[in-house]
Amino acid sequence: MQGKRVLLIVGGGIAAFKALELVRALRREGATVVPVLTAGGAHFVTPLSLSALAASPVHTDLWSLDEGGGMGHIELSRSADLVVVCPATADLMAKMTTGIADDLATTLLLATDTPVIAVPAMNVRMWTHAATVANVATLRARGVTVVEPDEGPMACGEFGPGRLPEVTAIVAAIALHFGPKPLVGRHAVVTAGPTHEPIDPVRYLTNRSSGKQGFAIAGALAALGARVTLIAGPVALATPPGCTRVDVETARQMAVAVEAALPADVAVMVAAVADWGVIVSPAKLKKVEGMPRLDLVENPDILATLGRAVDRPGLVIGFAAETEATIANAVGKRATKKADWIVANDVSGDVMGGDANTVHLVTAEGVEDWPTLPKAEVARRLADRIAQELA
């Protein structure tokens, strides 16, 4: 982002206070930030705070820009490399959709020919309302990048999707716009998270996979320009910028989704897919009936199927979570599954679900031992290696 100019429009929502942190983060990355504060946004942050952090005047009034007969709002709308709306309220997005220009922010958005990123934040019912859903779809169809909101508790006391994403995720979406794109034109399929294998209508078998590493890899590939299909098991994680997400529950559903996503240039099978499913009881198993009998059935082997597929991706990468003989088991897995690479990690002890990983990259050339790294850095390194391999 060094030397890039970002026009930041701060909407009127409780999440506006995070715009201050976003300004600081963008400037750390080398960007120049020009703030535009809406009347609603001024109820939550002050022009002085924005101005001090941005080291730039804060624009609030349409008419003051045009004093002296100039066309200041046109010049401002086209002076930036990127326009970021954060938070993007339901009202702001509705006006963007219909072309209403009744203040400085909406006039800039209507007049600009600069790429726009909108970062929504609102009550869960507002986010899921049919009007907002339609508006978001329209904006995306017009080329606006709409960052998926997070899910969680809200200031209003409700819970659900609609929270402003963490600033790190917003910066990642902006970096995705500006960053180098060696994987443009490439399609990547990534699986992530666990699978849930139903036992009866209320119970299931699963594992401790958090999905964090798979989501990080999907985001890192998208940041390099790949078209990413992220097939996710049951996890409560925000969709990484630039990824198309397909949610599944069982191993069989994941296998179908992977097949439907082909053809692809690279497949990164990070998901901890259950090896076995259960013949599902149509009714809840009752304790009074004694110890239940669970009849296990083998699930599809997604990685092995991909490795032998007629429309096999050019690069097939599997993951091996092991509790013993990590490297030996990974070497064997690469051979039996017909994978090109295996990323192996030792999960003995209470390590699953953490934010760091210690992995070994097993290829035809041998084994690379990587140090313990944050999962985001593991993802970045792997994405870079994939870009080099596909170059």
Side-chain angles (χ1 to χ4, degrees), residues 35-39 58-67 72-73 76 102-105 107-108:
V36 174
L37 184 60
T38 64
V58 175
H59 302 286
T60 59
D61 184 20
L62 173 64
W63 308 110
S64 64
L65 286 177
D66 296 333
E67 288 176 358
H73 62 287
L76 184 60
D102 59 358
D103 63 2
L104 176 59
T107 301
L108 292 174

Side-chain angles (χ1 to χ4, degrees), residues 19-344:
L20 300 175
E21 186 181 348
L22 177 60
V23 170
R24 192 190 299 271
L26 291 175
R27 293 196 66 206
R28 277 198 301 264
E29 296 293 329
T32 297
V33 181
V34 179
V36 174
L37 184 60
T38 64
H43 286 286
F44 300 96
V45 297
T46 67
L48 181 60
S49 299
L50 268 178
S51 177
L53 291 174
S56 170
V58 175
H59 302 286
T60 59
D61 184 20
L62 173 64
W63 308 110
S64 64
L65 286 177
D66 296 333
E67 288 176 358
M71 297 294 286
H73 62 287
I74 301 296
E75 295 169 9
L76 184 60
S77 73
R78 299 175 187 177
S79 65
D81 299 294
L82 179 68
V83 178
V84 177
V85 187
C86 178
T89 61
D91 175 68
L92 258 177
M93 289 195 296
K95 289 178 177 178
M96 290 169 67
T97 303
T98 55
I100 292 175
D102 59 358
D103 63 2
L104 176 59
T106 52
T107 301
L108 292 174
L109 287 163
L110 189 61
T112 192
D113 55 3
T114 299
V116 177
I117 293 178
V119 190
M122 64 195 72
N123 170 269
V124 57
R125 298 192 185 189
M126 296 173 71
W127 174 248
T128 57
H129 193 283
T132 303
V133 171
N135 288 339
V136 168
T138 298
L139 292 174
R140 283 176 167 154
R142 293 176 183 169
V144 175
T145 298
V146 181
V147 180
E148 283 291 316
D150 282 351
E151 180 175 305
M154 301 181 174
C156 61
E158 295 190 274
F159 184 97
R163 284 171 55 94
L164 192 80
E166 294 300 321
V167 169
T168 52
I170 302 170
V171 172
I174 296 170
L176 174 61
H177 172 78
F178 287 128
K181 306 290 193 296
L183 291 177
V184 166
R186 302 288 194 170
H187 180 210
V189 177
V190 180
T191 63
T195 62
H196 287 179
E197 308 301 324
I199 295 172
D200 61 21
V202 298
R203 302 181 179 93
Y204 55 82
L205 297 177
T206 190
N207 56 63
R208 296 182 179 181
S209 173
S210 67
K212 292 178 182 178
Q213 187 65 84
F215 272 60
I217 290 169
L221 290 170
L224 295 183
R227 176 171 65 89
V228 179
T229 301
L230 172 59
I231 301 169
V235 294
L237 296 173
T239 305
C243 299
T244 299
R245 179 171 175 171
V246 179
D247 286 311
V248 299
E249 181 178 359
T250 68
R252 293 182 182 279
Q253 290 170 354
M254 185 169 284
V256 170
V258 169
E259 183 178 1
L262 297 178
D265 298 285
V266 56
V268 190
M269 302 291 98
V270 193
V273 183
D275 294 318
W276 301 280
V278 179
I279 297 178
V280 182
S281 169
K284 179 182 175 183
L285 298 173
K286 292 295 186 180
K287 193 173 182 179
V288 294
E289 296 171 359
M291 185 69 70
R293 175 189 173 94
L294 299 183
D295 294 314
L296 300 180
V297 292
E298 189 172 2
N299 277 330
D301 191 325
I302 300 173
L303 180 59
T305 301
L306 264 182
R308 296 176 172 85
V310 175
D311 54 351
R312 182 190 195 278
L315 185 58
V316 175
I317 304 171
F319 268 63
E322 303 290 347
T323 58
E324 58 184 3
T326 301
I327 294 175
N329 285 333
V331 170
K333 184 172 184 177
R334 194 185 81 84
T336 58
K337 308 291 187 181
K338 304 298 182 183
D340 298 297
W341 299 351
I342 293 289
V343 181

Side-chain angles (χ1 to χ4, degrees), residues 373-386:
L373 296 167
K375 288 183 175 178
E377 179 62 16
V378 171
R380 188 193 65 78
R381 287 193 180 198
L382 185 62
D384 286 344
R385 286 293 304 274
I386 290 169

